[in-house]
Amino acid sequence: MLEKLGRNLPCWCGSGKKYKNCHIHFDEELEALEKQGEEIPTHRMIKNAEQIARIKESCKVNIAVLDAIDKIMKPGVRGDEINDLVNEVTYSMGAIPAPLHYEGYPYSVCTSVNSQVCHGFPLKSRVFKEGDIVNVDCSSILDGYFSDSSRMYCLGEVSPARKKLVEVTRECMKLGIEAVKPYGHLGDIGAAIDAHARANGYRVVDSIGGHGCGIEFHEDPFVSHVGEAGTGMLLIPGMIFTIEPMVNAGGADYITDKKNNWEVYTRDGKDSAQWENMILVTETGYEILCW
Ligand code: MF3
Ligand code: CO
């Protein structure tokens, strides 16, 4: 159910126009779809032009941070060096690293190596070595607007099995993005990702997923990386969310470190890879905001 608004009140989108002269028709169409049994997004999930512009500025910071990380991801790089570089680049651009203190998270970036699925700590004692596959997950806040994306790095010579996992996971993300269509469904994304992972003998983590992002770090909707095409929430122009499949070489099960309650590992100790981007649903398809 959409929030009800008086016809003469300012539109929820922030245009300053009266609701009756702005999104009232848009809302009526959404409500008609809801009556037909579709799940529709809330107003909060649909960003206006100004919000989109500001979120894009935040995404530029995130891209710059990851571009700087690209240059240091070589065998021998330590977690704390990555964390320091994230701080340096982010603050120099007038932004704040979103992970720091987020629900008590103690660092500015997540670095997840090999069997780590996500939320790995960028520790000084963690020296990444030749043959490792490392996900670096960066998130920025610029003028109150959030961005979130991650890349995988293969350090030096990496085994063919690891290289393939990283490549297939990237393909999974890409297929997930390409499944995004205005008035399509959220389930289309997960279906595309899961099918490609399974075709390669991999399994997708299902209870950690993508999310709306921009006004807050983690917003609704939850973006599952497994799913059924044609099901789930309708994708409406103006929605911004991440697609960030975690793909495991073995089983989909994972465990969370009992001591720090953050770092996530595959249960079977096999490798895991992840890529993350942020996309905007547009009238004609999608726009990739950061990656
Ligand atoms: N960047 C992660 C994501 O993709 C979230 C990390 S939460 C943190 O959603 F606290 F670990 F940063
Ligand atoms: Co994310």
Side-chain angles (χ1 to χ4, degrees):
M1 279 286 282
L2 290 174
E3 218 176 301
K4 285 281 167 241
L5 198 58
R7 294 172 55 81
N8 289 312
L9 288 176
C11 188
W12 55 263
C13 80
S15 64
K17 289 194 241 175
K18 286 184 179 174
Y19 181 45
K20 66 179 180 192
N21 298 325
C22 196
H23 272 85
I24 196 163
H25 184 60
F26 174 92
D27 280 2
E28 282 164 3
E29 285 188 350
L30 278 188
E31 277 163 346
L33 288 164
E34 191 178 34
K35 281 213 182 71
Q36 291 166 28
E38 297 284 4
E39 192 183 334
I40 60 169
T42 60
H43 288 150
R44 200 179 160 73
M45 293 182 209
I46 299 166
K47 273 58 180 175
N48 65 31
E50 163 154 19
Q51 289 168 328
I52 291 167
R54 285 170 171 269
I55 293 165
K56 282 183 178 175
E57 288 305 308
S58 179
C59 287
K60 282 187 198 161
V61 175
N62 225 51
I63 292 168
V65 174
L66 281 165
D67 284 350
I69 301 290
D70 283 356
K71 301 197 178 77
I72 67 161
M73 292 306 290
K74 300 200 172 72
V77 66
R78 293 191 318 264
D80 65 318
E81 293 173 322
I82 300 170
N83 194 69
D84 288 349
L85 186 58
V86 167
N87 283 331
E88 187 188 315
V89 178
T90 308
Y91 290 121
S92 79
M93 295 181 78
I96 301 166
L100 191 59
H101 308 313
Y102 174 78
E103 292 184 0
Y105 186 79
Y107 299 96
S108 297
V109 61
C110 302
T111 55
S112 305
V113 56
N114 302 337
S115 68
Q116 284 187 319
V117 174
C118 62
H119 305 163
F121 285 178
L123 301 171
K124 186 169 185 172
S125 59
R126 201 164 272 153
V127 184
F128 299 116
K129 56 185 191 306
E130 173 108 17
D132 282 347
I133 52 170
V134 187
N135 171 275
V136 180
D137 190 341
C138 292
S139 319
S140 306
I141 316 172
L142 181 69
D143 301 328
Y145 291 84
F146 289 79
S147 51
D148 185 13
S149 57
S150 77
R151 298 178 188 167
M152 282 303 290
Y153 298 93
C154 293
L155 301 197
E157 272 304 310
V158 166
S159 72
R162 281 187 168 160
K163 202 173 267 173
K164 182 179 166 202
L165 176 65
V166 170
E167 265 320 297
V168 170
T169 305
R170 188 183 168 108
E171 289 161 11
C172 283
M173 173 182 69
K174 210 160 163 280
L175 290 166
I177 294 171
E178 286 164 3
V180 173
K181 293 187 178 60
Y183 302 93
H185 293 85
L186 208 47
D188 302 349
I189 300 169
I193 291 170
D194 192 41
H196 190 59
R198 282 178 182 272
N200 284 279
Y202 302 144
R203 289 295 179 271
V204 174
V205 172
D206 61 5
S207 45
I208 315 175
H211 49 91
C213 186
I215 309 298
E216 288 172 66
F217 194 172
H218 294 110
E219 300 174 17
D220 285 334
F222 172 73
V223 179
S224 177
H225 301 115
V226 302
E228 206 182 314
T231 68
M233 187 178 286
L234 278 181
L235 302 177
I236 301 298
M239 290 174 78
I240 294 180
F241 50 82
T242 70
I243 298 178
E244 49 178 305
M246 283 150 256
V247 178
N248 295 354
D253 288 352
Y254 61 86
I255 46 175
T256 306
D257 187 294
K258 283 203 177 59
K259 287 207 195 85
N260 61 42
N261 253 314
W262 273 107
E263 294 181 294
V264 177
Y265 293 81
T266 57
R267 178 176 286 282
D268 58 17
K270 295 194 177 166
D271 293 325
S272 183
Q274 178 183 24
W275 291 84
E276 175 174 19
N277 68 93
M278 256 168 88
I279 66 124
L280 164 70
V281 182
T282 66
E283 293 290 343
T284 50
Y286 59 82
E287 190 181 331
I288 298 172
L289 304 186
C290 63
W291 168 344

